[in-house]
């Protein structure tokens, strides 16, 4: 509580009372704390790859990468960290634009199976490299959804990207889409390490990771799911996750199915 008080004086200087204002600033304090945490998180996340890059450059300057193989390895690490820095900045800007609510999205009729194909194509080399099997199960006659195509593609990229990154070689990933009661539900399921029950409610928060080092070493920014939640909720949809450690995770989101008028979707 913030307390402020002031004396009440008569013209001659005689004090005859006082006014006090008590203001509940719990909400403000919490907001300020959140903002401070966020700035601290961002600084930390930016500093980690930069420190790595700096360390490797200095090692090279000190002549510690004499032979080509070592130099090549150093450059690979620096390149990987630079890519991650870039992704982090891109995700941060994306999220701040989403949160400011400044973006106006064009709403299209989006065919989920088309997005599945497009996103799978983008990840093809990683899927092959980790020998993952991807199965698709799309309900016959699935209606299109109403939404912004690029944003929904971004959601699928983030979810499928996670499923791939957290899967072990030879794992199975499933993409499902089905309609019910005017809604289309999309599921991205993997047979990866799963998420402990205690962490589940938090994974949508910015920078929350179950294992920081594993996420970072796999190129994660800790922002992917926060972006997913934002995009889906901005579409009036919902996100959910089910997971069992050691068995895998299943991420789900719902969007509005396009209504049918005179036999066509509108
Ligand atoms: P990151 O860039 O770290 O993947 P996200 O916001 O996408 O950030 O995910 C937050 C955290 O949730 C991850 O660090 C990881 O701990 C957990 N997570 C997300 N997707 C999966 C998954 N498919 N399997 C296991 N853990 C996951």
């Amino acid at each position: 509580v913030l307390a402020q008080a002031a004396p009440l004086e008569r013209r001659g200087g005689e004090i005859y009372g006082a006014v006090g204002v008590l203001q509940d600033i719990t909400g403000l304090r919490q907001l300020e704390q959140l903002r401070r945490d966020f700035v601290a998180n961002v600084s930390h996340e930016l500093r980690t790859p930069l420190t790595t890059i700096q360390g490797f450059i200095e090692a090279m300057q000190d002549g510690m990468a004499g032979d080509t193989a070592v130099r090549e390895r150093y450059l690979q690490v620096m390149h990987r960290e630079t890519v991650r820095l870039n992704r982090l900045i891109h995700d941060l800007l994306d999220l701040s634009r989403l949160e400011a609510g400044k973006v106006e999205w064009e709403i299209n009729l989006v065919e989920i199976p088309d997005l599945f194909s497009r996103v799978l194509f983008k990840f093809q080399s990683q899927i092959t490299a980790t020998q993952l099997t991807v199965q698709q199960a799309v309900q016959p006659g699935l209606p299109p959804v109403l939404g912004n195509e690029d944003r929904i593609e971004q959601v699928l990229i983030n979810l499928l990207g996670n499923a791939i990154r957290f899967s072990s070689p030879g794992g199975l990933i499933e993409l499902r889409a089905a309609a019910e009661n005017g809604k289309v539900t999309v599921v991205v399921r993997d047979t990866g390490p799963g998420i402990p029950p205690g962490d589940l409610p938090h994974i949508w928060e910015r920078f929350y990771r179950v294992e920081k080092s594993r996420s970072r070493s796999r190129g994660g920014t800790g922002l992917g799911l926060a972006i997913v939640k934002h995009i889906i909720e901005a579409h009036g949809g919902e996100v959910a996750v089910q997971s069992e450690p050691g068995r895998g995770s299943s991420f789900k989101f719902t969007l509005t199915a396009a209504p049918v008028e005179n036999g066509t979707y509108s």
Side-chain angles (χ1 to χ4, degrees):
V1 178
L2 180 70
Q4 286 172 315
L8 292 171
E9 283 176 41
R10 290 222 167 79
R11 201 165 290 156
E14 183 196 348
I15 294 176
Y16 68 96
V19 282
V21 181
L22 295 177
Q23 198 183 353
D24 181 358
I25 54 163
T26 320
L28 273 178
R29 278 262 162 76
Q30 281 169 349
L31 210 65
E32 178 59 18
Q33 185 61 39
L34 273 179
R35 198 190 61 78
R36 252 187 267 137
D37 289 351
F38 180 65
V39 172
N41 275 332
V42 171
S43 318
H44 177 77
E45 294 297 326
L46 292 174
R47 192 180 290 149
T48 313
L50 277 175
T51 309
T52 308
I53 295 167
Q54 185 181 344
F56 278 89
I57 290 176
E58 286 168 5
M60 286 177 93
Q61 284 172 331
D62 290 347
M64 281 164 69
D67 68 275
T68 326
V70 176
R71 200 160 49 236
E72 193 51 42
R73 221 175 44 238
Y74 280 22
L75 285 172
Q76 256 172 19
V77 176
M78 288 194 265
H79 183 251
R80 200 184 60 212
E81 291 299 292
T82 316
V83 169
R84 211 164 63 76
L85 258 180
N86 225 330
R87 187 177 315 146
L88 185 63
I89 290 164
H90 174 271
D91 281 0
L92 271 172
L93 286 176
D94 228 23
L95 198 60
S96 77
R97 255 185 256 130
L98 285 172
E99 290 186 340
K102 276 196 209 120
V103 264
E104 283 200 8
W105 296 335
E106 195 185 303
I107 298 297
N108 331 100
L109 285 178
V110 183
E111 299 285 355
I112 295 291
D114 290 351
L115 282 190
F116 280 176
S117 314
R118 204 182 305 162
V119 174
L120 281 174
F121 183 73
K122 289 191 178 169
F123 283 112
Q124 199 50 60
S125 62
Q126 288 173 56
I127 291 170
T128 315
T130 23
Q131 297 162 325
L132 298 172
T133 305
V134 181
Q135 287 178 353
Q136 290 188 57
V138 175
Q139 187 185 58
L142 184 82
V145 297
L146 284 176
N148 181 275
E149 185 149 10
D150 291 340
R151 292 284 129 191
I152 300 172
E153 180 176 337
Q154 173 84 58
V155 166
L156 280 173
I157 287 176
N158 291 6
L159 294 181
L160 185 62
N162 280 351
I164 294 170
R165 273 192 301 125
F166 290 102
S167 285
S168 305
L172 176 73
I173 292 175
E174 210 183 345
L175 296 176
R176 283 206 302 264
E180 201 184 11
N181 299 331
K183 285 185 176 159
V184 170
T185 299
V186 179
V187 175
V188 179
R189 198 172 75 82
D190 65 61
T191 51
I195 300 160
D199 293 300
L200 272 183
H202 302 291
I203 55 168
W204 308 97
E205 293 165 14
R206 298 179 291 199
F207 296 121
Y208 191 88
R209 292 149 166 150
V210 178
E211 275 180 69
K212 276 198 184 291
S213 59
R214 175 151 72 182
S215 159
R216 279 212 202 93
S217 68
R218 296 186 185 203
T221 62
L223 295 173
L225 290 179
I227 292 176
V228 165
K229 187 167 189 285
H230 245 287
I231 293 175
I232 295 300
E233 289 181 351
H235 278 85
E238 281 166 25
V239 292
V241 57
Q242 283 181 330
S243 187
E244 216 183 305
R247 311 220 37 184
S249 312
S250 180
F251 286 85
K252 183 165 100 173
F253 64 87
T254 53
L255 288 168
T256 311
V260 188
E261 264 174 43
N262 306 323
T264 51
Y265 294 111
S266 54

